[in-house]
């Protein structure tokens, strides 16, 4: 749905996974684009046990699990959403992120988490435009096993979507006046097209790697979230972070 106009982000916390399933279906019924719905949780119950599936080595600090998508692991619901991966967030642990929030967390997390001892999800949410108190509540509740759902919607729909979230059991409903940052809107033609928070964490060589991989996957899928996830994975495979949180050190491959 390339003509979908995402202008604001409505977020809410849900206690139960069933509520998450329900609200996502209701959002889709209201024509909210599936590429603009994000879900986060650290407690998804699935047929396949997660333990043992994610090893520490699979989880890159501040990065998506290399080897990317296993939407099927979490049942059909997350499989509907674009880009499903596991992020490791200090002070919260591994969380499952589906939709554009995965890429936004990667971009923001590299910055917010680089070298700062107190950084967790809250500081990332604040960099994405959420008030501090609200962000702290979101982090605490996610840690406690609850779920966060975010929908990027047209401005004139934000009131309706807030009410929909609330009636589906959503708590701490919050509307942000902007959408989640994307690495690129559409195709990336040059480093200037990269969002500043992504560009500032990549050396020139890493920017090139990022853009090449992003464009390849975007051409195949027309899916920004998927392209962004693949691009970060390509960077993580080739580079390491320096002490300033910039992916710049070429990995030595045997």
């Amino acid at each position: 749905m390339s003509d979908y106009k995402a202008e604001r982000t409505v977020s809410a916390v849900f206690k139960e996974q069933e509520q998450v399933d329900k609200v996502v279906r209701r959002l889709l019924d209201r024509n909210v684009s599936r590429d603009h719905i994000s879900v986060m949780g650290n407690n998804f119950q699935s047929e396949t046990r997660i333990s043992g599936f994610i090893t520490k080595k699979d989880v890159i600090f501040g990065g998506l699990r290399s080897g990317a998508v296993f939407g099927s692991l979490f049942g059909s619901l997350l499989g509907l959403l674009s880009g499903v991966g596991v992020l490791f967030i200090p002070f919260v642990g591994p969380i499952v992120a589906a939709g554009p929030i995965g890429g936004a967390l990667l971009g923001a997390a590299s910055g917010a988490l680089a070298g700062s001892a107190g950084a967790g999800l809250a500081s990332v949410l604040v960099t994405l435009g959420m008030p501090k108190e609200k962000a702290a509540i979101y982090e605490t509740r996610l840690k406690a096993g609850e779920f966060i759902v975010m929908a990027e919607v047209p401005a004139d729909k934000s009131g309706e979507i807030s009410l929909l979230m609330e009636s589906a059991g959503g708590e701490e409903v919050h509307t942000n006046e902007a959408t989640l940052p994307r690495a690129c809107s559409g195709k990336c033609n040059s480093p200037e097209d990269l969002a500043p928070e992504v560009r500032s964490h990549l050396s020139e060589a890493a920017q090139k790697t990022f853009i090449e991989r992003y464009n390849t996957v975007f051409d195949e899928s027309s899916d920004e979230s998927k392209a962004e996830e693949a691009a970060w994975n390509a960077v993580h495979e080739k580079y390491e972070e320096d002490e300033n949180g910039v992916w710049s050190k070429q990995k030595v491959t045997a």
Side-chain angles (χ1 to χ4, degrees):
M1 292 172 70
S2 53
D3 54 352
Y4 182 79
K5 205 169 175 202
E7 296 164 312
R8 293 191 180 156
T9 306
V10 183
S11 315
V13 180
F14 291 86
K15 287 199 167 90
E16 308 291 336
Q17 193 178 322
E18 292 70 49
Q19 295 174 316
V20 174
D21 289 7
K22 220 172 265 171
V23 78
V24 169
R25 291 186 198 293
R26 287 176 65 182
L27 289 167
L28 294 169
D29 287 345
R30 294 282 177 94
N31 297 322
V32 175
S33 156
R34 59 183 272 281
D35 295 334
H36 289 82
I37 298 173
S38 299
V39 177
M40 277 190 283
N42 63 358
N43 194 16
F44 282 97
Q45 299 304 316
S46 75
E47 310 317 302
T48 318
R49 279 189 14 263
I50 290 189
S51 57
F53 192 86
I54 307 164
T55 64
K56 204 52 165 211
K57 133 177 108 37
D58 285 336
V59 182
I60 306 160
F61 173 71
L64 279 171
R65 180 183 176 280
S66 58
V69 183
F70 41 95
S72 57
L73 190 70
F74 301 106
S76 59
L77 166 80
L78 292 189
L80 290 172
L81 305 179
S82 56
V84 179
V86 171
L87 290 150
F88 185 78
I89 297 186
F91 310 103
V92 181
I95 66 158
V96 176
I101 187 66
L105 283 170
L106 272 177
S110 306
L113 304 179
S116 54
L121 180 68
S123 56
V124 175
L125 291 173
V126 170
T127 62
L128 297 177
M130 192 177 276
K132 268 200 179 106
E133 300 70 36
K134 186 70 85 177
I137 293 168
Y138 271 50
E139 175 172 336
T140 304
R141 294 187 61 168
L142 186 73
K143 249 192 215 162
E146 296 183 26
F147 304 89
I148 296 170
V149 176
M150 296 177 162
E152 296 168 295
V153 300
D156 58 1
K157 283 271 176 72
S158 59
E160 179 195 330
I161 299 301
S162 294
L163 289 170
L164 182 153
M165 293 250 201
E166 229 167 272
S167 68
E171 298 173 18
E172 299 293 342
V173 179
H174 173 72
T175 300
N176 191 12
E177 296 297 312
T179 55
L180 297 169
R182 300 293 201 273
C184 271
S185 50
K187 201 162 173 168
C188 267
N189 297 311
S190 72
E192 284 65 56
D193 289 347
L194 285 173
E197 57 271 85
V198 172
R199 195 167 76 220
S200 61
H201 294 295
L202 300 172
S203 66
E204 279 184 27
Q207 288 173 21
K208 197 166 171 263
T209 301
F210 187 98
I211 289 171
E212 279 171 7
R213 186 79 187 113
Y214 179 95
N215 285 340
T216 305
V217 175
F218 186 73
D219 285 342
E220 289 166 5
S221 65
S222 300
D223 183 332
E224 289 173 2
S225 302
K226 213 172 265 178
E228 191 165 343
E229 183 185 336
W232 277 112
N233 278 331
V235 167
H236 292 156
E237 278 162 25
K238 280 181 82 167
Y239 303 93
E240 287 175 17
E241 266 180 307
D242 64 17
E243 58 286 355
N244 301 315
V246 177
W247 294 84
S248 58
K249 297 176 180 169
Q250 192 95 27
K251 280 189 183 170
V252 183
T253 46

